[in-house]
Amino acid sequence: MTVENWLKVLSDNGYRLTDSRRAVVEIVNDSSRAMTPLEVFDSARSSHPELGLVTVYRTLEKLEELHLIQRVHQPAGCQAFISARQGHQHMLLCQRCGQVTYFEGDDLDNLITNIADKTGYSIKEHWLQLFGLCAKCHSSNPNQVPGLFHS
Amino acid sequence: MTVENWLKVLSDNGYRLTDSRRAVVEIVNDSSRAMTPLEVFDSARSSHPELGLVTVYRTLEKLEELHLIQRVHQPAGCQAFISARQGHQHMLLCQRCGQVTYFEGDDLDNLITNIADKTGYSIKEHWLQLFGLCAKCHSSNPNQVPGLFHS
DNA sequence: TCTCTATTGAAAATCATTTTCAATTATAGA
DNA sequence: TCTATAATTGAAAATGATTTTCAATAGAGA
Ligand SMILES: [Mn+2]
Ligand SMILES: [Mn+2]
Ligand SMILES: [Zn+2]
Ligand SMILES: [Zn+2]
């Protein structure tokens, strides 16, 4: 989804298009890493110095509500957001550079049926996330201890 | 693991056994739901009224460090802790009552190999969590909208 | 252009968590 | 058992993140 798509969704849902929102949308839409509100703020201020952190929070809230972005849970914290994909998707996160790569084609049906049988639960949803090193980070220094995450 | 086991681990690691710690350990060890520091505090105070919330935070911190408990990530928040299992385990959470059930025997090797090939990532870890209704909650009212979680 | 109301950023408020600190207490050793 | 000592405690203060308040501003439809 492009910046223009996001702006159209905001507009179609009755939200006004302002410079502040455009600045936030441009940064978040473009990022392949999950960003915290403060990171978005710092980055967006280079093109829009009068932007307030409060507006970043408010814009991220709306983008999340419209399913344009989603919160990313990581060992080091769960405040960061990344551009969302449509439908059921999972992500793969680089423990060194933070790069997020979506993948599909997970086949958990057997696993889920088994667990449902064993436990008696009726299973409605699942979360699957993979962590590792992206090709670039892996080749640059495969043994370095990751710095982005604890534990 | 019993309360006594946990206390022994604390003691073996040079931590003193105090009434405050015992109160926290008893509550958390016994719970089959993930509990926030405030929930632990409220619950532990019935048997130990002079307990401070700070001590709950400090005790949970030590229990986590010793791998006796682990943080649980949920759509509604990521501040709750539950008794941990040894080794690689995953959990299944009831969206109505919060009950946590561990399961093993996930077979993600094929999936992970596929994704590694497709993406070029070197995959080190994974998170898998299932959400649904436990047998009890499902039979009592299978269609009710879950109240514990948002989104 | 004009009007109306959503949106803005600053400041204040709130909420969760951490730090500080002086008093207390668990525990190792005498 | 008694003592010395350092770990631990809870209250209060500090911090940090997020939310609310509010008066000024500015999109967007008429
Ligand atoms: Mn899936
Ligand atoms: Mn697994
Ligand atoms: Zn990387
Ligand atoms: Zn249940």
Side-chain angles (χ1 to χ4, degrees):
Chain A
M1 285 257 249
T2 64
V3 168
E4 287 69 35
N5 289 144
W6 285 22
L7 294 174
K8 180 157 193 318
V9 173
L10 281 167
S11 176
D12 288 351
N13 284 80
Y15 294 120
R16 293 182 182 173
L17 301 184
T18 65
D19 286 349
S20 297
R21 282 183 182 158
R22 269 185 270 262
V24 170
V25 161
E26 271 161 26
I27 294 298
V28 179
N29 181 274
D30 183 56
S31 177
S32 63
R33 297 188 315 105
M35 295 179 80
T36 63
L38 195 60
E39 286 172 334
V40 173
F41 176 68
D42 286 339
S43 181
R45 268 170 93 87
S46 41
S47 71
H48 195 277
E50 65 287 7
L51 176 67
L53 178 57
V54 200
T55 299
V56 174
Y57 275 97
R58 291 190 278 224
T59 303
L60 292 175
E61 186 177 65
K62 285 167 183 58
L63 294 175
E64 188 183 24
E65 168 203 324
L66 298 170
H67 305 292
L68 297 173
I69 62 174
Q70 67 179 114
R71 186 180 293 273
V72 178
H73 297 258
Q74 297 177 249
C78 307
Q79 314 78 28
F81 292 88
I82 185 117
S83 160
R85 290 299 123 92
Q86 291 199 277
H88 182 79
Q89 291 270 347
H90 301 288
M91 38 182 129
L92 173 50
L93 295 94
C94 177
Q95 293 169 317
R96 180 143 352 129
C97 70
Q99 174 101 231
V100 171
T101 302
Y102 282 93
F103 65 90
E104 46 190 313
D106 65 308
D107 187 13
L108 299 178
D109 291 349
N110 277 338
L111 168 67
I112 288 176
T113 306
N114 276 340
I115 305 298
D117 285 350
K118 279 188 204 165
T119 60
Y121 275 64
S122 156
I123 296 173
K124 311 285 189 191
E125 291 187 55
H126 62 263
W127 273 4
L128 174 63
Q129 264 183 191
L130 307 183
F131 299 92
L133 295 178
C134 74
K136 210 173 119 200
C137 288
H138 184 255
S139 63
S140 74
N141 187 348
N143 298 314
Q144 187 185 310
V145 176
L148 258 177
F149 301 96
H150 49 240
S151 134
Chain B
M1 285 259 248
T2 64
V3 168
E4 287 68 36
N5 289 144
W6 286 22
L7 294 174
K8 177 154 197 318
V9 173
L10 281 168
S11 175
D12 287 352
N13 283 81
Y15 294 120
R16 294 182 180 174
L17 302 183
T18 66
D19 285 349
S20 297
R21 282 183 182 160
R22 268 185 271 261
V24 170
V25 162
E26 271 161 25
I27 295 297
V28 179
N29 181 273
D30 184 54
S31 177
S32 62
R33 297 187 317 103
M35 297 179 79
T36 63
L38 195 59
E39 285 172 334
V40 173
F41 176 67
D42 286 338
S43 183
R45 268 171 93 87
S46 42
S47 71
H48 196 276
E50 64 287 5
L51 176 68
L53 179 55
V54 201
T55 299
V56 174
Y57 275 96
R58 289 190 278 223
T59 303
L60 291 175
E61 185 179 68
K62 285 169 182 57
L63 294 174
E64 188 182 23
E65 169 204 325
L66 297 170
H67 306 293
L68 297 173
I69 62 174
Q70 66 179 114
R71 186 179 294 271
V72 179
H73 298 258
Q74 296 177 249
C78 309
Q79 313 77 30
F81 293 88
I82 185 114
S83 159
R85 290 299 122 91
Q86 290 201 278
H88 182 78
Q89 291 270 346
H90 300 289
M91 36 183 131
L92 174 48
L93 294 94
C94 178
Q95 292 170 317
R96 183 146 345 130
C97 70
Q99 174 101 230
V100 171
T101 302
Y102 282 93
F103 65 90
E104 47 191 311
D106 65 306
D107 187 14
L108 299 177
D109 291 350
N110 278 337
L111 169 67
I112 288 176
T113 306
N114 276 340
I115 306 298
D117 286 349
K118 279 188 202 164
T119 61
Y121 274 65
S122 155
I123 297 174
K124 310 286 188 190
E125 290 188 54
H126 62 263
W127 274 2
L128 174 64
Q129 266 185 187
L130 307 182
F131 298 93
L133 295 177
C134 73
K136 210 174 118 196
C137 289
H138 184 254
S139 62
S140 73
N141 185 349
N143 298 313
Q144 187 187 310
V145 177
L148 257 178
F149 301 97
H150 51 244
S151 135

